[in-house]
Amino acid sequence: MKLVASVTACLLVAALLLTIGVQAQENVLTRVAPSMLECYENAHIFERDNRLPMTMNMLIELIRKVEDSPGFQQDIRQLAISMLHRFRQDGIVRAPGVSSISGVIPFSPTEFQFTKHRVLFSRLLPGNAVNFPNATLSIDERCALHFMLSNSIDRRVRGDENVRCAQLSQYRAARVPRELDFKDRSRMRSNYLGDNEMLEQPEMDRIREHIKKIKHKASSAARLEMDPDEDHPDEEQQEAAVEEEGEPQEEPVAAAAEDEETGEPLEEDGALGEMGDVSLVDIASNAISACPVENGVVYTPWGSVMAGTVLAGIAAGLEPQTVQLRDLMARSDQYSNRQVQPMRVDNRWAATLTGDLAEVSLLHAPAAGDNVQVGAAGAWNRTVAPRWYFLSQREHLQMTDTEIRAGIDGLLLATNIAEWRSRANNLRLSQLLDMYYSHRGVFNDTVRSCNRRDLFTTVAPMQQLREQTVAFSTVLDKEMQMPFTITQNATINFADRSVDALANYIPTALNDLTCDATAIVMNDPTVWRAASDLYIFVDAAWPHRDVYSVVSNILDSVEVGRFGTNYTILNARDGNVIVNTTQFLSDFHMTYTPALHQTLPTGLNIPNVFRRMREETNNLMAAERRTNHLSGRSKIALMIVHTDRVSEGDTNFAIQHLQIFREEVPDLRFLYLAAGDPGRFNRFVRDERRDVFPLRELESGSVVDTIRVQLSPVIHRIQQEPRRIVNPRCGNDWVQENWGSNSMNQFVEPRGVNFYRLHPNYFFREGNNRRFRIQGHGFATLTVCHSRWVERPRQNSTENRDSIQCRTINTDAYDVDLSNACDGHSVIHTCPPLFVSVEGPPNPPAVIRCSEPECRFPDNARFAVVLDNMGCFSSASRTVSSLLMAAVAALILTLFKQA
């Protein structure tokens, strides 16, 4: 009896554990996972144009926000697994003809991607999301992660195909070499350099409103992707809602689904009416879009990737498994074939390349004969804040370009992650992605995304690729519902053909941007990192689309985050804050909406801008005194101005107050990005050759190229501005109550360089034991240079080499004596600043030891910046008095003339 009772108890416990496990692994259920329903129930969240941009920078930011949450204890393996189980569910599509009513969500994981997903996460990447800190992220951020990590293809007709798909065709034709044989599609080069957007850039809102008007006016009011006899909201209520808010009010899911269905609308031109008419016919049918939308894609400059596949590769590499087929199959007793039994499935391969190749082998190859095709190129609606990724074909979508790139990336990361983690046992997920998707690479300049095509044959030997494709195809064949039945020998044959197609496609058609083509400075391996307190003043006279695109591009390029740049967005007319000072990219995208833009006053008012900047900088310098902080960030005010001119009175005000800024905030730099003649701002900057930039009208049709070309000099200028070093004892009133030493820790990465500037306001008069010191902490051998004339001194510099002094340090210090550094200068402005550079080693150190939270990367080298006995010298009070006297004198003279 005791034995029976024990067995019964064990069975009950096992059943309970199994039930808990199934509930915990909710992303393998055949319905939308309960934790992900929030992304489909809320119209605002589901609307694609309201989502956070689908970029790698945004994905890294969200991961870093989780890692930085209070009390977070998970390592890289635990976080990768919990994120995938919490946010990834492949194959979710909308059910055609299903109404959105109470209790019904017309979405479910019914696409072919879900079968592979279920096998991976139930058997090869087991785990759960029980310990994921959901409260760390907002609903916008949680749903952004879900949409970034979940793969599916939306094939529904949107209504914009007449023009949208034609743009893709023109774009592809313009970039495909003419001499290639177009009949052999496996040899076609996509030439989607970096997955840039289409040649033309239509305005999304116009066509959306146009389609909605057509639907409201039509007596049948065909709703997108719904049956003609489907129930509709009350017509009068809709019309009232349109008058009140500009668009109909619907049930959340219905509104969300309908908004997304319209896709990326087009310019309101001659084709618009035709497109609208055609859409009413096509949308009511079950036709497939000629250029479907691919979901789960994130943009990188080196080709867009399927983010969920990359994370799955990392997770598999951190817990590799090689499983025999008989143990992997649900009913192994039915598959005793000798060809099947010896096979083993490696989860690193199944989660990346061979998982997608198996889908090609089973779903495409049997009907393709000798013409097996992999790859499907695509393009973004825009690469500045991208949200819509359109495929250039409607067939053969089992392995798209984004899946190929992600498969190679994921396998590279999976193969090397164990060795990297042994070198840096505290390696974070955000750090790994940050290193790989950048110019620096993961602990060297070889393993990085821009080298993936060259690394493919190394990481994926053909024989192993064939074996793993056959093995996983065998597993998937028993799990997937297919319209035909194939034998094991046929599976092997189809797998071989798929592998051959991929091996031919990658070197000839995966034509992504190279590392050299995307270098910030040609032939310079230096890793440039900006670190700024950046104040961006926007003139609302620019259309929202233009302002949003320009600011997005700038923020995406200047290292926004706690390791680099803080930014504040302000209005150029009244100086009011639009986006509060922050270190998160998401704050700008969630705050600066078209509706907010419409409420902002237009134009530029220099006095208001200067008053606001004085207030902001005073607050910042007062905070530096309270926290005893030496800064370590440059201070830049960037004006994005339309065509407003500056009046004579405002010009005089600006010139006078620039003198005050030079005394009170010597490190502040004003930059102008202006339409029209930018020369009208030359008098308001320190260096008109470097600080004033033209900004032409951003016309539809060339937005991205125009933005990237025009903003490249501005971004490089921000990156090159030296980081300010201050004596925090001065504060904003320049009153020093005590003397002594101040220091702060700084970090530099291999091949990276930090530039610093110390203004003479801190060492103008003679002082005993006054010095600037770089103290090495033994993390690596650093090269330190200083100069009084060269702003960016470097050891290999060809500019004024005689005025640059350099030395290498490790645990020792580099001192610059400033006891009498302004000897012979009667005024501060004639005394040159001190410029210092600290350059990391060319290669990572043998021992990687940067583990504190301030380390952006594990191979960072820590050092200290030390100031000894600095002073506080400013004639700001005299300058202000002089300006007041001049103003009074001018007023008296005016009154005298009038008398």
Side-chain angles (χ1 to χ4, degrees):
M1 290 296 293
K2 291 183 178 179
L3 178 61
V4 173
S6 300
V7 171
T8 303
C10 291
L11 290 174
L12 288 173
V13 171
L16 178 61
L17 292 175
L18 180 62
T19 302
I20 294 173
V22 171
Q23 291 176 344
Q25 274 188 288
E26 60 176 29
N27 71 327
V28 300
L29 302 176
T30 56
R31 302 291 184 270
V32 174
S35 62
M36 302 174 197
L37 285 176
E38 62 182 357
C39 305
Y40 298 88
E41 295 173 329
N42 185 301
H44 179 83
I45 297 297
F46 185 81
E47 164 57 47
R48 192 181 294 265
D49 293 322
N50 293 334
R51 299 176 191 172
L52 293 174
M54 302 288 110
T55 67
M56 184 57 67
N57 281 350
M58 185 60 67
L59 176 60
I60 292 171
E61 176 178 295
L62 295 177
I63 294 173
R64 187 176 289 145
K65 184 176 286 189
V66 173
E67 293 170 336
D68 290 343
S69 61
F72 182 79
Q73 298 292 331
Q74 297 181 32
D75 62 17
I76 182 174
R77 182 192 65 80
Q78 294 168 324
L79 177 57
I81 285 291
S82 66
M83 276 190 63
L84 287 167
H85 280 275
R86 170 62 179 82
F87 295 109
R88 182 176 173 183
Q89 190 173 22
D90 293 346
I92 297 177
V93 292
R94 183 184 171 97
V98 177
S99 304
S100 174
I101 60 176
S102 178
V104 176
I105 307 295
F107 292 89
S108 186
T110 56
E111 276 283 278
F112 69 87
Q113 298 94 344
F114 180 69
T115 304
K116 177 189 69 177
H117 171 91
R118 185 179 59 206
V119 172
L120 285 175
F121 287 96
S122 61
R123 304 175 203 174
L124 292 171
L125 294 173
N128 58 66
V130 173
N131 294 322
F132 186 85
N134 288 290
T136 301
L137 304 174
S138 67
I139 183 173
D140 296 89
E141 293 166 332
R142 293 195 299 271
C143 290
L145 282 175
H146 168 58
F147 293 127
M148 284 180 183
L149 299 180
S150 302
N151 175 21
S152 64
I153 296 174
D154 188 351
R155 305 168 189 263
R156 295 168 298 163
V157 174
R158 300 177 303 274
D160 66 352
E161 279 77 8
N162 278 5
V163 180
R164 171 61 64 196
C165 301
Q167 291 172 350
L168 278 161
S169 299
Q170 294 167 8
Y171 185 66
R172 186 179 181 88
R175 292 180 177 266
V176 174
R178 298 291 182 185
E179 65 271 15
L180 288 183
D181 180 8
F182 282 78
K183 294 181 181 179
D184 185 1
R185 294 177 64 90
S186 66
R187 293 177 58 216
M188 289 181 65
R189 298 172 63 88
S190 68
N191 280 347
Y192 272 70
L193 299 181
D195 283 324
N196 286 330
E197 58 193 276
M198 278 76 72
L199 293 178
E200 297 184 11
Q201 285 305 301
E203 295 288 345
M204 300 187 74
D205 294 334
R206 297 180 183 177
I207 187 65
R208 173 162 297 148
E209 293 304 319
H210 181 81
I211 290 179
K212 287 183 179 179
K213 289 177 182 178
I214 292 174
K215 290 189 294 179
H216 284 299
K217 291 180 180 179
S219 58
S220 59
R223 293 182 60 157
L224 300 181
E225 284 297 286
M226 297 182 180
D227 291 338
D229 58 351
E230 181 178 324
D231 293 334
H232 302 288
D234 184 80
E235 293 283 344
E236 294 181 0
Q237 292 179 358
Q238 281 196 1
E239 291 176 2
V242 169
E243 292 178 0
E244 181 178 348
E245 298 187 20
E247 59 183 54
Q249 297 296 304
E250 310 173 55
E251 291 296 324
V253 175
E258 181 157 343
D259 280 346
E260 177 161 1
E261 286 155 1
T262 58
E264 162 69 355
L266 307 164
E267 285 286 3
E268 195 166 354
D269 54 19
L272 187 61
E274 178 185 355
M275 194 218 69
D277 296 338
V278 173
S279 71
L280 290 177
V281 177
D282 292 345
I283 290 172
S285 72
N286 288 325
I288 297 175
S289 173
C291 47
V293 174
E294 189 172 22
N295 298 314
V297 183
V298 299
Y299 169 80
T300 84
W302 305 282
S304 298
V305 298
M306 196 66 64
T309 300
V310 175
L311 260 64
I314 295 171
L318 291 166
E319 194 168 354
Q321 297 185 55
T322 304
V323 186
Q324 289 191 5
L325 256 63
R326 64 170 176 261
D327 298 327
L328 191 58
M329 290 181 175
R331 293 168 294 173
S332 59
D333 58 317
Q334 298 184 19
Y335 310 112
S336 57
N337 190 304
R338 292 182 180 179
Q339 290 180 309
V340 175
Q341 284 185 351
M343 294 184 189
R344 292 175 176 270
V345 172
D346 187 322
N347 66 342
R348 296 171 297 180
W349 288 81
T352 55
L353 279 177
T354 60
D356 293 316
L357 278 172
E359 292 175 333
V360 176
S361 302
L362 298 177
L363 299 177
H364 167 59
D370 294 330
N371 189 29
V372 175
Q373 298 175 32
V374 299
W380 291 98
N381 64 314
R382 62 172 74 177
T383 48
V384 176
R387 294 181 176 90
W388 296 81
Y389 187 78
F390 298 95
L391 293 170
S392 60
Q393 61 196 59
R394 71 168 93 189
E395 298 176 315
H396 317 312
L397 303 179
Q398 287 78 22
M399 194 174 194
T400 64
D401 283 11
T402 63
E403 291 176 309
I404 293 173
R405 295 189 193 100
I408 300 172
D409 292 353
L411 189 58
L412 273 168
L413 297 171
T415 304
N416 292 283
I417 184 66
E419 187 260 328
W420 292 332
R421 200 179 180 201
S422 68
R423 296 182 63 191
N425 57 6
N426 291 319
L427 179 66
R428 288 181 160 202
L429 181 58
S430 62
Q431 292 175 327
L432 179 60
L433 294 174
D434 201 359
M435 288 188 286
Y436 183 75
Y437 291 99
S438 71
H439 278 282
R440 56 152 291 154
V442 186
F443 301 137
N444 59 54
D445 60 358
T446 300
V447 184
R448 47 182 177 166
S449 60
C450 53
N451 283 338
R452 72 166 67 90
R453 190 170 57 179
D454 297 332
L455 295 171
F456 167 66
T457 54
T458 302
V459 74
M462 288 299 292
Q463 184 58 34
Q464 194 172 5
L465 184 59
R466 293 181 192 278
E467 292 173 356
Q468 287 298 312
T469 301
V470 171
F472 195 69
S473 296
T474 303
V475 175
L476 211 57
D477 174 41
K478 313 307 177 186
E479 301 288 338
M480 183 176 288
Q481 184 69 38
M482 297 188 297
F484 41 74
T485 301
I486 59 178
T487 66
Q488 180 63 25
N489 287 334
T491 300
I492 296 172
N493 183 25
F494 296 145
D496 286 345
R497 293 183 188 180
S498 301
V499 170
D500 289 339
L502 179 66
N504 292 329
Y505 186 85
I506 289 173
T508 60
L510 203 65
N511 193 22
D512 300 322
L513 290 173
T514 64
C515 301
D516 292 337
T518 53
I520 296 173
V521 180
M522 292 297 285
N523 302 318
D524 185 353
T526 302
V527 178
W528 297 84
R529 303 287 186 192
S532 303
D533 290 310
L534 181 61
Y535 302 88
I536 302 178
F537 290 84
V538 296
D539 181 353
W542 288 97
H544 172 268
R545 176 192 175 91
D546 293 350
V547 171
Y548 181 74
S549 298
V550 169
V551 176
S552 295
N553 184 264
I554 291 172
L555 295 181
D556 216 42
S557 306
V558 296
E559 311 293 335
V560 168
R562 64 183 179 87
F563 303 108
T565 296
N566 294 330
Y567 70 93
T568 312
I569 310 296
L570 309 100
N571 180 251
R573 181 69 181 180
D574 56 21
N576 288 339
V577 173
I578 301 172
V579 179
N580 289 320
T581 302
T582 180
Q583 61 185 14
F584 298 112
L585 289 167
S586 57
D587 289 341
F588 168 72
H589 295 288
M590 288 191 290
T591 303
Y592 197 73
T593 63
L596 174 63
H597 179 81
Q598 293 299 320
T599 66
L600 300 176
T602 62
L604 170 69
N605 186 300
I606 287 284
N608 287 341
V609 168
F610 279 23
R611 292 188 190 101
R612 170 59 70 175
M613 276 309 302
R614 192 172 184 186
E615 178 182 338
E616 292 286 336
T617 53
N618 282 348
N619 292 338
L620 180 62
M621 295 173 75
E624 290 168 347
R625 172 186 276 171
R626 288 195 306 271
T627 59
N628 202 31
H629 200 266
L630 277 65
S631 180
R633 291 189 176 98
S634 61
K635 192 191 297 286
I636 296 173
L638 172 64
M639 316 292 175
I640 303 177
V641 188
H642 201 241
T643 54
D644 266 18
R645 303 197 68 85
V646 183
S647 67
E648 183 178 352
D650 286 355
T651 297
N652 294 332
F653 178 94
I655 293 173
Q656 293 170 358
H657 281 73
L658 281 172
Q659 297 179 43
I660 299 176
F661 277 121
R662 191 162 186 167
E663 296 288 348
E664 292 185 345
V665 197
D667 284 288
L668 177 62
R669 292 293 180 269
F670 285 94
L671 307 181
Y672 289 84
L673 184 60
D677 177 19
R680 65 189 189 274
F681 298 106
N682 285 352
R683 300 171 67 186
F684 307 149
V685 296
R686 299 281 186 94
D687 187 343
E688 63 186 54
R689 297 169 301 173
R690 300 176 58 211
D691 298 343
V692 179
F693 306 89
L695 181 61
R696 297 183 298 278
E697 294 286 342
L698 305 179
E699 297 176 354
S700 174
S702 57
V703 171
V704 165
D705 287 342
T706 301
I707 286 178
R708 296 202 182 280
V709 170
Q710 292 191 72
L711 296 187
S712 180
V714 182
I715 292 167
H716 197 43
R717 173 71 180 88
I718 294 172
Q719 290 171 330
Q720 289 186 327
E721 179 66 12
R723 307 179 188 201
R724 59 191 285 264
I725 299 296
V726 302
N727 176 8
R729 300 167 190 263
C730 299
N732 61 303
D733 56 9
W734 291 89
V735 175
Q736 185 171 7
E737 298 179 352
N738 51 60
W739 301 75
S741 294
N742 297 89
S743 66
M744 69 174 178
N745 286 333
Q746 291 280 276
F747 301 84
V748 66
E749 64 195 290
R751 293 188 291 120
V753 59
N754 295 353
F755 297 109
Y756 300 96
R757 177 176 54 215
L758 180 70
H759 267 281
N761 300 64
Y762 304 109
F763 56 83
F764 178 60
R765 293 177 185 167
E766 184 177 355
N768 294 328
N769 299 319
R770 181 173 291 155
R771 68 182 177 186
F772 179 101
R773 165 177 284 187
I774 299 294
Q775 175 66 59
H777 287 169
F779 280 54
T781 299
L782 307 177
T783 301
V784 184
C785 301
H786 88 273
S787 175
R788 297 296 299 279
W789 306 102
V790 179
E791 187 175 69
R792 291 180 297 280
R794 298 183 70 177
Q795 191 169 44
N796 59 355
S797 175
T798 58
E799 176 188 6
N800 297 327
R801 291 183 62 90
D802 294 340
S803 64
I804 300 175
Q805 299 180 42
C806 299
R807 186 165 64 83
T808 59
I809 64 171
N810 193 293
T811 58
D812 49 334
Y814 184 101
D815 289 351
V816 180
D817 181 23
L818 297 173
S819 298
N820 196 19
C822 289
D823 185 33
H825 296 274
S826 58
V827 293
I828 294 176
H829 302 319
T830 64
C831 182
L834 171 68
F835 299 106
V836 177
S837 70
V838 180
E839 193 158 358
N843 299 300
V847 178
I848 295 175
R849 46 183 291 205
C850 201
S851 59
E852 51 250 67
E854 292 77 20
C855 299
R856 179 168 181 173
F857 304 112
D859 56 4
N860 279 157
R862 188 183 70 200
F863 61 93
V865 177
V866 184
L867 298 182
D868 288 334
N869 300 311
M870 292 295 162
C872 299
F873 308 104
S874 173
S875 55
S877 58
R878 294 196 299 272
T879 301
V880 174
S881 299
S882 300
L883 291 175
L884 290 174
M885 291 297 294
V888 171
L891 178 61
I892 293 174
L893 182 60
T894 301
L895 294 174
F896 179 77
K897 289 181 178 179
Q898 291 177 350

